[in-house]
Amino acid sequence: MKLMSSFAISGVVIVGIWGAAMAQFPLMAATEHSDKPDVQVEAPNLTTKQSNPRPSTTEAVKGVRINTMSISGVQQKIAIKHIAKLWQTFENQQALNKNLLRYPRKISVYYQNFSQDFQQAEVSIGYLSDIVRYANQSTTIPGAQYERILQKKAHSNAELADAWKKIDYRKNLQSVLEIHYLDASGHPVSSEFMVNYK
């Protein structure tokens, strides 16, 4: 399935991005009034629709209300650097795919319960539970006020990297929510990225 190979690559990209962001964490904590870290991340392009270069879209939009939702897929407490393995596990969920009531239009990735050094988190990857016939492994994403870092549209890998770098790790980080939107063929066409602080 082309969808799953795209997201397996996405997992590898996230590992690189997260690693780059975490390498900056000690500097951010030590220099409380410093500007954004300047990290360059090279990664393969995941978006299927390319457009002309556009201005940065990583300006945070505060006050986005996310309603409680449930996703079904895989869930694991995992080192962020191993997120590609969790994407692979999600890809291999044949029973999950057979129990889809209709073709999914999005995949949600929910990060919560971060370790103190932000190197581990409880990560859930899944489809909305209401499109899965037997939603055995479900994660409830509680309704909350989020800060949207990336608005819903096609984003370059540089923009995804900037989104992870724009998290304020000095605040009490509660959760991170990525939503990847799919076209009718299952290709990722847009994403949004949101952060919830306690």
Side-chain angles (χ1 to χ4, degrees):
M1 190 176 200
K2 292 178 185 176
L3 160 72
M4 295 308 168
S5 62
S6 294
F7 283 108
I9 294 170
S10 176
V12 172
V13 172
I14 295 300
V15 170
I17 293 167
W18 188 270
M22 289 300 94
Q24 297 300 313
F25 179 70
L27 296 174
M28 290 167 50
T31 58
E32 201 162 295
H33 298 291
S34 68
D35 288 342
K36 307 171 263 205
D38 185 20
V39 177
Q40 303 262 332
V41 177
E42 293 286 328
N45 199 333
L46 299 180
T47 56
T48 57
K49 294 183 179 176
Q50 291 301 316
S51 59
N52 294 330
R54 62 177 90 83
S56 174
T57 57
T58 57
E59 290 299 316
V61 177
K62 298 186 187 238
V64 177
R65 178 74 190 170
I66 298 296
N67 294 325
T68 299
M69 62 178 152
S70 178
I71 61 172
S72 295
V74 295
Q75 176 184 349
Q76 186 177 346
K77 182 81 172 179
I78 191 169
I80 301 300
K81 65 182 180 180
H82 298 307
I83 194 73
K85 291 181 183 177
L86 191 59
W87 273 108
Q88 187 67 43
T89 301
F90 179 70
E91 178 181 338
N92 293 333
Q93 295 291 308
Q94 294 179 3
L96 176 68
N97 291 320
K98 287 179 183 175
N99 283 312
L100 289 173
L101 298 171
R102 59 184 180 275
Y103 205 82
R105 297 312 300 244
K106 62 184 174 180
I107 296 175
S108 299
V109 186
Y110 184 61
Y111 300 80
Q112 63 179 330
N113 300 326
F114 292 93
S115 61
Q116 285 189 333
D117 62 0
F118 300 101
Q119 297 300 307
Q120 291 191 334
E122 188 176 305
V123 183
S124 302
I125 303 173
Y127 306 118
L128 288 175
S129 295
D130 63 358
I131 68 163
V132 180
R133 184 176 293 113
Y134 305 111
N136 293 334
Q137 179 127 4
S138 294
T139 300
T140 299
I141 300 172
Q145 204 72 12
Y146 278 78
E147 184 176 293
R148 183 180 284 142
I149 294 177
L150 286 182
Q151 295 191 26
K152 179 184 174 182
K153 64 164 109 177
H155 295 286
S156 69
N157 287 322
E159 290 170 324
L160 289 171
D162 282 345
W164 282 100
K165 292 187 294 182
K166 287 185 177 286
I167 294 174
D168 188 347
Y169 295 100
R170 295 165 296 186
K171 290 185 180 178
N172 191 351
L173 180 61
Q174 182 73 17
S175 60
V176 172
L177 177 61
E178 296 173 39
I179 302 177
H180 302 281
Y181 296 89
L182 314 174
D183 66 13
S185 301
H187 296 109
V189 291
S190 62
S191 301
E192 60 183 326
F193 185 99
M194 294 164 282
V195 181
N196 173 241
Y197 301 107
K198 206 176 230 182

